[in-house]
Every structure is written in C-alpha cells, then in structure tokens.
Amino acid sequence: MFAFRWITAILLFAVPAGVTQADGLLHRLPKDGTWATYQLDGISKNAGESLGQPRP
Amino acid sequence: MTGALRIASVGRVIEKSEPCRWIEVQFDFKLANGEGQLRKSDWCKVLIAEKHLVKGQSPLDHVLRAWYRSEADDSSQKMENLGDGRTPLPIILSGPLQDGERLATAEIDSKLGKLACEGVRGTLKLNSSRGDALPDVYQKCELENRMHAASPFGVVTSRWTLHSVNGTLVWHLTLVDIGENAASKMPDAK
C-alpha cells in the first residue's frame, strides 16, 4: 500500500496536467480558446549607438 | 516602437492519433520616425502536437503545419521555413535556452496585478535561412522571462534583446489582457 501511494504521488506531481515548460513564450498550455495579449515596447540602436538614446 | 503580440489557442485536433493544438500569433507594431509612421500587422498559425510542448522539447522543431498572413494579403500562405525572418516564431516556440540561469523571484506588475514571479535568462541562437551575411538578420536573442502560474501561457513579462551585425533591437513584452473563446483570424489556414 505504501509503495502504491508513492507511485500515485509521483504520477500526480511529475506531469502536472496542462503545464508545459518550454522556454520561449509558451510555458503553460491552457485550455483551448485561451488568449493573451502582450504590450510591446521596443528600442533599437545601430552599431555604436547607445540604447535609450534618440537616433540622430 | 510600440505594438502588441497576441497568442491564442485556436483549435485542438487529433492528427495521426496525437492531440495537437493550433497556436495563432498576431504581431502588430508601429514605428514612428521623422518621416511618418510605419504600421505592420502579421498573423501566423502553427499546428504542434501537445507532447512537444513539454520541458526539454523544442516546439519549433515539431511544427506540423504553419501559415502566414499579413494584413495586405487576401488569404493565408503556407510557411515553408519558420526561420524566414517574417515572424517571431523562433523565439516564441524556442526550446531550452543556452546558458539558461534562474533569476531571483521578483515582484512584477501586469494585467494580473503585482505578482511574485520566477525568472529565467538565457540565449537563443537564431538560424535564419537567409544567411548570416545579410545585415538585418538577427543572429542571437538574449531572452529574459518572468513567469507565474496565473498567466495563461505562463509568461508575465519577457525581454528580447536581438543582435544583428547592424545593431540591437530590444522588445519588452508585458501581459496586458487575457481571455477565452478565441476564434482564429485565419480560418482558411488548416
């Protein structure tokens, strides 16, 4: 019985349902139909130009 | 530069006996300069087996079908090469980061309020089919993600520092809205 409980616990916690751990922008796989919007703020610099400073 | 990136799960299908998801990404940005404003909207839609959306996998390497559409297009076009530079898919669908390191938990403010978020930072090497010799192709991306289980796809903020031979582009992404019942904006892409 003790061994059975341990196996059950490992199965429950080793593979959480619906959870992914890929390292891009998808770390979880929610139910179908789910959406998320991210605001984008961008800064560009040419080689030799400092980040955060306006372009000439 | 400002914009928005929307990720949605727009379908669950069985393909070759495997449960798969259609993931759709919309990428809008505006660039203001002295000569006016450039605005661009792109959509892409990829089909990936759910088993490849787990730790240690690289979803980008297991895309079964991919479609692309810009707002100027009348219909969706099949994508033959996901690294053609038109979309941020190589970053969004990347596998484990090179030299990945865990960051100390930090409080992050977003649509979800202030949350204590775990962090990870690392590097992605971007292999573009257009060749490294082309100046506008980004060759490397330093990625820093802040994650929390309350975020639908796990990520609350993300910072992409993209390097090319011509310079650097930094995108900072912040979760601003979430929802359900997403419908595909590319219904012809199947």
Side-chain angles (χ1 to χ4, degrees):
Chain A
M1 181 60 80
F2 181 75
F4 178 77
R5 283 183 182 162
W6 265 109
I7 290 169
T8 304
I10 289 168
L11 290 174
L12 281 174
F13 292 106
V15 187
V19 175
T20 74
Q21 295 178 47
D23 284 316
L25 217 53
L26 301 178
H27 284 239
R28 297 181 68 239
L29 189 59
K31 70 177 183 178
D32 190 37
T34 302
W35 57 268
T37 299
Y38 293 85
Q39 179 181 308
L40 295 171
D41 293 296
I43 302 171
S44 68
K45 71 163 185 172
N46 294 325
E49 187 181 350
S50 295
L51 276 176
Q53 294 185 358
R55 287 176 145 179
Chain B
M1 290 184 292
T2 59
L5 187 147
R6 181 179 187 264
I7 299 177
S9 175
V10 293
R12 189 172 192 265
V13 298
I14 302 296
E15 184 92 1
K16 295 179 182 171
S17 305
E18 295 278 358
C20 299
R21 288 290 184 99
W22 281 107
I23 302 291
E24 193 168 284
V25 176
Q26 182 175 351
F27 190 69
D28 300 324
F29 77 89
K30 289 186 290 188
L31 170 64
N33 58 29
E35 298 167 0
Q37 196 174 76
L38 171 68
R39 184 178 163 275
K40 195 167 181 289
S41 284
D42 298 300
W43 294 267
C44 46
K45 185 174 172 182
V46 292
L47 182 66
I48 304 172
E50 290 181 349
K51 70 178 183 182
H52 292 301
L53 292 166
V54 298
K55 185 177 183 179
Q57 293 283 320
S58 178
L60 187 71
D61 296 332
H62 298 282
V63 172
L64 298 172
R65 288 195 290 284
W67 296 84
Y68 169 84
R69 182 174 186 169
S70 75
E71 63 181 347
D73 295 332
D74 293 329
S75 60
S76 304
Q77 311 157 17
K78 264 194 173 172
M79 286 185 82
E80 301 298 338
N81 186 341
L82 300 174
D84 63 9
R86 290 185 295 178
T87 73
L89 286 176
I91 301 172
I92 294 169
L93 300 177
S94 79
L97 306 174
Q98 295 171 3
D99 307 322
E101 61 172 317
R102 288 194 177 277
L103 305 174
T105 299
E107 187 177 78
I108 304 293
D109 198 8
S110 76
K111 162 76 176 177
L112 303 170
K114 292 180 180 176
L115 295 171
C117 295
E118 296 179 344
V120 63
R121 179 167 55 205
T123 304
L124 289 173
K125 187 177 178 186
L126 302 175
N127 297 311
S128 170
S129 61
R130 293 190 297 183
D132 290 344
L134 289 173
D136 290 330
V137 174
Y138 292 104
Q139 299 153 338
K140 187 176 78 171
C141 177
E142 293 160 11
L143 191 68
E144 181 176 319
N145 283 335
R146 289 286 173 182
M147 297 89 70
H148 194 280
S151 172
F153 294 93
V155 173
V156 178
T157 63
S158 187
R159 183 181 175 90
W160 305 349
T161 305
L162 293 146
H163 299 275
S164 76
V165 294
N166 263 7
T168 303
L169 171 63
V170 180
W171 281 116
H172 191 96
L173 290 74
T174 305
L175 184 68
V176 291
D177 207 2
I178 60 175
E180 297 182 346
N181 302 316
S184 174
K185 296 189 177 181
M186 304 168 67
D188 60 334
K190 294 177 182 173

